[in-house]
Amino acid sequence: MSHPPLSQTVVKEFQEILGKDNVFTEEADLACYAYDAAVVEPVMPALVVRPTESEKLGRCIKLCNDNGLPLTVRGAGTNLSGGTVPTSTKGVVILSNAMNRILEINEADMYAVVQPGVVTAKFAAAVEAKGLFYPPDPGSQAVSTLGGNVAENAGGLRGLKYGVTSDYVMGVNFFDVNGEIVKSGSKTVKCATGYNLSSLMIGSEGTLGVFNEITLKIIPAPAHRKAMMAVFDRMDKASETVAAIIANRIIPCTLEFMDNFTIRAVESFSKAGLPTDAAAMLLIEVDGYPAQVEEDAQKVEDICKKMGAASIRVAKDDAERDKVWAARRSALSALAKLKPTLVLEDATVPRSKIPEMVQAMQDIAKKYNITIGTFGHAGDGNLHPTILTDKRNKEEWHRVEKAIEDIFDKALSMGGTLSGEHGTGIAKSGFLHRETGKATIAWSRRIKSALDPNNILNPGKVIGG
Amino acid sequence: MSQIKELTRLMKELEEQLVVCMRCGMCQSVCPLYEQTGREADVARGKLALLDGLMHEMFKDPQGVYERLNKCLLCGSCAANCPSGVSVLEIFMKARVILTEFMGLPPAKKLILRGMLAHPGVFDQMTEWGAKFQKIFTKPVNDTVGTSCARIMSPLIGDRHFKLLAEKPFHRIIPSLDTKPGKSGIRAAFYVGCLLDKIFPHIARDVVEVLRYHEVGIYMPEKQACCGIPAVSSGDMKTFGSLLRHNLELFAPDRFDYLLTACATCTSTIKEVWPVMADRMGEEGMRQVEKIAEKTMDINAFLVSVLGVRGDAEIADKAECITYHDPCHLKKSLGVTAEPRTLLRSNPKYRFKEMLASDWCCGMGGSFNLQYYDISSRIGQKKRDSIVATGCSAVATGCPACMLQISDMLSQPGDRIAVRHPVEIYAESLKTMVR
């Protein structure tokens, strides 16, 4: 498969805008932008460019549009639905990681303005240094970019109480296909002018415009927090406890579930002292004012006991707490260690349906004779059934694909969604109609074709086509 | 075309190790090179994808892959933080060998590795001549750090501030040793390593003195050869093989209980690299390599965990502030972090203070520093800033290669901070006690 070269004139024009150092043309560079963290076939772009300032970014987009070149914006490339994998070998990948400045953190008005390439964890740390809090904490936050988080509507461990990225976007300022700036939202708490374009852009996965600046809401940091670990000898007891906590009107900031398979994988990697013989465990954290935290923690503990937890351990100090969360954060990669291919699903259900969903995962694993580790954000109904396989084993891979379809159908039948936080990308675009119906996709395609008549903005993602 | 087929066939050997990478990208957060450049080809995930792409004939540019593969500090930060447990360093070294053998060793490397390094006698002779004449071309710049710079513009040296070759290498001061153990009952082989021998002989002397103090029998044969890391990281298995054979002849594993080095890189090479790269040595050679690897230990770790040196000295009134840099090859390869700090705390004349990000790579990376001095310096600058921020008057580290880089970085802006090895600090405390 030889690589179709881009016209030298176009390459030169990119070089004139960005300088030679920021235009990658060699195959061995292009091949590094053919993949992301999703299990999809790599596709090499024809060109990779790295704008260092907004004006140049705008000119790059216009140049792509004028030449009919499909473009895919890429931050850290940690996407789990293939959103940053080009769909065409004629495509251009635009890197956002050289536009990585935090432009403003406004403590008086509690907002921040960032460029799309800022790394999530670095932003969270900068905000924390001022005693404030940016809650969305996707698993890849150590490397993921805020632009990517908004484009995918990334979630994290704190969704249950604090919501997801969309709950913190006050405004997005983005380029349309002609390289013109479109402004949406405001730095004010309230804003009732124009269409709510920010909402349209959140989760649009780079198919409608390219982010230039993002205004994010920041909030006061909670004064106190308490973490605990409840161990169960039966999986159903754990999942029923999740439903019981919510039913008792307690909203922990984090309520995470891990099955035995995941516990063992994580423990062998992290040595955090997890109970490897437990059928399942819940990791729970409550935060807020000290008195309320103590009260909620006591209530949660009581519910766990009542629901039949074999043991409960409350983290003594921050160090112990951090260790537990670090172990949880390593779950995905610890599972990845076990088999060559890992498929991470994030089908999400209304939270009361968690027990049913956990059971369904076990049934599906049995039906197709495959290995599924289940962990995830049980408190917000967002489990991560994780299939471990070897894609080179074609027969097993076929069974895996069947199992994925079953997982999707099961979640939808409970009133759930195909993806809680990873996005549709190319991995799920073929299934979207099952959730939304055909008319929704047709309507979305009309929006897309009106805004992007040449279909150059991350084509093939979300709504296919 | 058939040549490419041959290459992909050779690369299949790496397939089982390559599939372990799930492209999660977490290595981006710890790669010192990626932090500077932001280029995916510079981080482990990108390099692994390139090897994978070459193996699957997604593209055909072995030269391009070779260049990018070589642009790496081999610091192992990615491997130490990889939750999927990809054997990054092993893959990179084996891939360098495959690609080097496919394309041939560049002439400059051939000259240095095969013409000089592979022959310990020649290497010693040349560095001794160098030591005689170096003062004609250099002048001292910073007497606290003990660095010099070039008198006239030199493309090889550039504006580096460097440590001169010692007037007398260690093997001229003490050519060999074979002493019986005293009350410790331990016999330790001392593998000196090139940098200690040729640039820091006083540290090697301190190692000997400390071992004598603890009544450890020392086995130190003469004509020791390089551990082979410059060769293996250049993919030159011929030179690596001849150095390994030379060292195996000198260090028969039944002659000692431990093999000690005061160089993080030598220790991790003998312990981690030899066993995975020695498969061409035959079964007997492999067995010997494994035995030696098992007995090999960093000097700091030996003093603290085997001899029980304690870091509980009462700090003197006018104690000097000292900080510590974690060499990648000690912390990330071998997990040695507490022991060198214990040695620093064993001397009442020093008050120990942690620096920020003490385990962030210093940017040296052996030949990386020669090839990419600009990036190497930018990484080193960050280390320099962390050291200066402690306000300490000395920094210690358990790796002579890190010592060279840190000396350059401190000397250039004129910082007056001494660069030491923890063993020196411990040896100093023994001398004070004797007095």
Side-chain angles (χ1 to χ4, degrees):
Chain A
M1 187 177 76
S2 84
H3 208 65
L6 214 59
S7 106
Q8 279 311 303
T9 334
V10 177
V11 174
K12 258 205 182 111
E13 282 185 69
F14 277 112
Q15 286 172 337
E16 270 161 30
I17 300 172
L18 302 167
K20 277 193 174 162
D21 277 356
N22 290 312
V23 179
F24 307 165
T25 53
E26 289 176 37
E27 281 191 328
D29 279 322
L30 304 178
C32 291
Y33 301 96
Y35 54 81
D36 60 20
V39 187
V40 298
E41 282 305 311
V43 177
M44 261 169 76
L47 194 71
V48 176
V49 298
R50 185 163 64 165
T52 48
E53 49 202 274
S54 17
E55 179 259 334
K56 292 177 179 174
L57 171 60
R59 287 169 64 192
C60 286
I61 296 161
K62 183 168 164 38
L63 191 55
C64 285
N65 195 37
D66 290 349
N67 290 279
L69 301 173
L71 76 87
T72 297
V73 181
R74 180 185 177 100
T78 54
N79 190 284
L80 286 159
S81 55
T84 40
V85 176
T87 42
S88 159
T89 51
K90 293 192 186 95
V92 176
V93 165
I94 298 187
L95 301 178
S96 70
N97 71 351
M99 287 181 58
N100 57 358
R101 288 195 306 276
I102 298 173
L103 301 171
E104 184 185 5
I105 296 179
N106 192 314
E107 293 173 72
D109 293 324
M110 306 258 269
Y111 70 82
V113 184
V114 298
Q115 289 190 318
V118 172
V119 170
T120 314
K122 285 189 178 161
F123 174 66
V127 166
E128 198 184 324
K130 294 183 185 291
L132 292 163
F133 187 31
Y134 176 70
D137 60 343
S140 55
Q141 62 175 351
V143 296
S144 72
T145 61
L146 289 165
N149 292 168
V150 177
E152 298 294 327
N153 195 10
L157 273 62
R158 303 189 182 113
L160 170 63
K161 178 170 176 180
Y162 290 103
V164 295
T165 304
S166 62
D167 295 300
Y168 295 86
V169 178
M170 296 171 74
V172 184
N173 162 320
F174 60 94
F175 287 105
D176 68 10
V177 275
N178 300 311
E180 302 286 341
I181 293 264
V182 181
K183 178 186 180 292
S184 76
S186 163
K187 289 170 182 170
T188 54
V189 173
K190 294 176 176 176
C191 173
T193 49
Y195 289 136
N196 189 347
L197 299 181
S198 302
S199 280
L200 182 63
M201 295 310 289
I202 296 165
S204 63
E205 303 188 13
T207 60
L208 299 178
V210 177
F211 299 157
N212 177 42
E213 285 174 11
I214 301 162
T215 305
L216 294 167
K217 177 168 86 176
I218 43 185
I219 62 174
H224 191 56
R225 56 195 179 186
K226 203 161 192 177
M228 63 188 86
M229 188 167 91
V231 177
F232 296 85
D233 54 13
R234 272 180 30 206
M235 201 122 91
D236 55 351
K237 284 186 191 168
S239 58
E240 280 157 16
T241 304
V242 173
I245 293 172
I246 312 285
N248 275 277
R249 310 279 189 269
I250 302 167
I251 309 281
C253 69
T254 312
L255 178 42
E256 294 287 309
F257 175 93
M258 270 198 234
D259 70 358
N260 174 267
F261 190 77
T262 312
I263 295 172
R264 281 185 288 134
V266 169
E267 181 57 22
S268 80
F269 164 66
S270 71
K271 312 274 183 292
L274 304 186
T276 48
D277 54 345
M281 60 187 283
L282 296 177
L283 301 170
I284 310 160
E285 182 166 299
V286 285
D287 69 358
Y289 292 109
Q292 178 214 344
V293 168
E294 293 303 325
E295 198 182 312
D296 279 354
Q298 190 55 53
K299 277 191 202 161
V300 170
E301 212 178 315
D302 293 344
I303 295 169
C304 290
K305 275 186 196 148
K306 206 172 118 198
M307 300 301 292
S311 73
I312 299 163
R313 199 170 89 200
V314 179
K316 290 191 303 286
D317 48 30
D318 275 0
E320 200 176 304
R321 168 192 176 272
D322 291 347
K323 210 170 168 188
V324 169
W325 291 123
R328 161 59 189 90
R329 286 201 169 278
S330 71
L332 170 63
S333 311
L335 285 169
K337 212 172 190 165
L338 306 178
K339 284 276 188 79
T341 312
L342 174 145
V343 184
L344 178 70
E345 286 306 333
D346 72 324
T348 302
V349 294
R351 41 195 142 180
S352 64
K353 300 281 197 274
I354 280 290
E356 205 181 314
M357 190 64 177
V358 168
Q359 184 57 47
M361 291 311 113
Q362 284 180 284
D363 298 344
I364 291 171
K366 213 170 180 184
K367 180 175 167 193
Y368 292 103
N369 187 26
I370 54 172
T371 310
I372 304 185
T374 298
F375 67 97
H377 324 305
D380 54 28
N382 180 198
L383 284 178
H384 288 310
T386 303
I387 304 170
L388 301 174
T389 177
D390 187 340
K391 215 181 164 182
R392 295 171 297 179
N393 178 344
K394 293 216 164 58
E395 186 274 326
E396 183 175 277
W397 181 247
H398 183 67
R399 279 184 278 131
V400 168
E401 286 182 317
K402 288 277 173 208
I404 293 171
E405 279 195 48
D406 274 21
I407 294 173
F408 288 164
D409 287 341
K410 189 72 200 171
L412 293 178
S413 75
M414 287 186 248
T417 171
L418 299 179
S419 170
E421 56 185 5
H422 298 163
T424 317
I426 35 182
K428 296 191 189 82
S429 59
F431 297 95
L432 187 61
H433 65 94
R434 296 192 194 185
E435 177 172 338
T436 64
K438 293 212 162 72
T440 310
I441 293 176
W443 197 82
S444 304
R445 282 186 181 166
R446 286 204 292 278
I447 295 181
K448 165 82 169 157
S449 64
L451 298 176
D452 178 19
N454 299 327
N455 196 24
I456 62 145
L457 294 172
N458 214 10
K461 309 297 164 64
V462 192
I463 48 172
Chain B
M1 206 47 86
S2 62
Q3 262 197 318
I4 288 279
K5 286 267 179 262
E6 173 61 10
L7 178 64
T8 50
R9 192 188 63 77
L10 288 170
M11 293 198 59
K12 285 279 177 195
E13 173 196 327
L14 302 174
E15 184 178 349
E16 286 306 313
Q17 287 176 303
L18 282 173
V19 292
V20 181
C21 173
M22 61 167 295
R23 309 277 187 269
C24 69
M26 296 309 282
C27 42
Q28 289 176 4
S29 69
V30 292
C31 175
L33 178 57
Y34 182 80
E35 189 192 49
Q36 296 299 326
T37 67
R39 292 175 80 119
E40 184 81 12
D42 289 338
V43 77
R45 178 175 71 162
K47 291 180 164 74
L48 294 166
L50 285 180
L51 294 173
D52 199 62
L54 199 58
M55 184 175 75
H56 287 114
E57 295 181 62
M58 186 165 90
F59 61 96
K60 298 185 182 78
D61 181 14
Q63 180 64 36
V65 175
Y66 186 56
E67 281 164 20
R68 285 159 185 80
L69 192 63
N70 285 334
K71 190 181 174 193
C72 170
L73 291 149
L74 294 178
C75 70
S77 301
C78 48
N81 287 281
C82 175
S84 307
V86 179
S87 311
V88 188
L89 294 184
E90 190 182 332
I91 296 173
F92 285 1
M93 280 187 285
K94 288 189 169 162
R96 285 182 184 196
V97 170
I98 293 170
L99 284 164
T100 303
E101 287 177 353
F102 178 74
M103 297 192 303
L105 197 61
K109 284 194 173 177
K110 203 177 216 166
L111 187 70
I112 296 169
L113 295 170
R114 294 191 182 159
M116 193 166 83
L117 197 70
H119 311 287
V122 177
F123 186 32
D124 282 349
Q125 193 57 58
M126 292 186 76
T127 48
E128 274 176 51
W129 286 338
K132 275 193 195 120
F133 296 112
Q134 60 189 350
K135 286 197 177 147
I136 301 171
F137 306 104
T138 61
K139 58 179 181 208
V141 271
N142 186 321
D143 55 357
T144 312
V145 186
T147 40
S148 301
C149 65
R151 276 182 202 276
I152 38 165
M153 262 301 289
S154 148
L156 184 68
I157 296 172
D159 29 3
R160 285 177 174 80
H161 287 192
F162 49 91
K163 303 287 285 187
L164 291 179
L165 291 162
E167 271 175 39
K168 232 184 189 184
F170 184 65
H171 69 267
R172 290 263 179 234
I173 303 169
I174 308 179
S176 70
L177 284 169
D178 195 357
T179 61
K180 287 206 165 58
K183 66 170 194 273
S184 76
I186 297 169
R187 248 176 95 83
F190 179 27
Y191 177 82
V192 182
C194 305
L195 294 182
L196 245 59
D197 182 57
K198 295 168 178 45
I199 297 180
F200 302 106
H202 64 284
I203 300 176
R205 188 142 60 175
D206 281 344
V207 170
V208 168
E209 277 178 25
V210 165
L211 293 177
R212 276 181 179 152
Y213 171 84
H214 286 278
E215 299 189 27
V216 173
I218 305 173
Y219 172 63
M220 189 182 83
E222 55 182 347
K223 295 206 170 56
Q224 298 187 14
C226 163
C227 68
I229 192 68
V232 82
S233 57
S234 301
D236 178 7
M237 285 307 274
K238 194 175 163 217
T239 304
F240 176 70
S242 88
L243 291 169
L244 188 54
R245 266 188 298 276
H246 183 105
N247 282 324
L248 288 182
E249 267 168 41
L250 294 183
F251 292 94
D254 51 357
R255 302 198 61 155
F256 47 85
D257 306 310
Y258 295 92
L259 184 143
L260 305 176
T261 98
C263 170
T265 303
C266 293
T267 313
S268 80
T269 302
I270 298 172
K271 229 175 154 56
E272 309 271 297
V273 179
W274 282 14
V276 293
M277 300 306 284
D279 47 353
R280 298 182 191 181
M281 300 305 292
E283 242 175 76
E284 181 47 35
M286 195 65 198
R287 249 198 306 278
Q288 201 181 340
V289 160
E290 275 165 11
K291 270 191 202 155
I292 294 179
E294 209 175 296
K295 292 184 174 188
T296 299
M297 211 169 175
D298 163 60
I299 184 76
N300 303 286
F302 175 76
L303 290 172
V304 174
S305 20
V306 177
L307 297 180
V309 172
R310 288 160 61 144
D312 52 4
E314 203 157 306
I315 301 164
D317 278 350
K318 284 182 189 158
E320 198 182 315
C321 176
I322 193 165
T323 186
Y324 180 73
H325 158 69
D326 282 293
C328 297
H329 291 157
L330 269 194
K331 180 172 179 179
K332 288 150 199 163
S333 306
L334 305 168
V336 174
T337 57
E339 298 91 332
R341 289 172 167 82
T342 303
L343 293 189
L344 301 182
R345 289 190 165 109
S346 72
N347 189 332
K349 279 168 54 193
Y350 293 90
R351 183 168 50 81
F352 176 68
K353 190 175 176 189
E354 284 288 354
M355 69 171 90
L356 214 63
S358 63
D359 63 352
W360 195 260
C361 177
C362 70
M364 177 67 180
S367 60
F368 182 90
N369 174 278
L370 297 176
Q371 229 178 327
Y372 301 100
Y373 184 61
D374 173 49
I375 302 174
S376 172
S377 301
R378 277 188 276 145
I379 300 170
Q381 188 66 34
K382 184 173 158 163
K383 179 57 62 182
R384 177 257 168 198
D385 292 346
S386 304
I387 296 169
V388 170
T390 61
C392 287
S393 53
V395 54
T397 185
C399 176
C402 298
M403 287 175 75
L404 291 179
Q405 168 79 344
I406 291 172
S407 298
D408 185 11
M409 294 302 114
L410 290 172
S411 178
Q412 300 232 18
D415 301 319
R416 310 200 72 79
I417 298 175
V419 185
R420 315 286 303 274
H421 192 291
V423 165
E424 289 181 78
I425 306 295
Y426 177 58
E428 230 177 63
S429 78
L430 297 180
K431 283 171 207 158
T432 324
M433 259 165 45
V434 172
R435 250 176 246 147

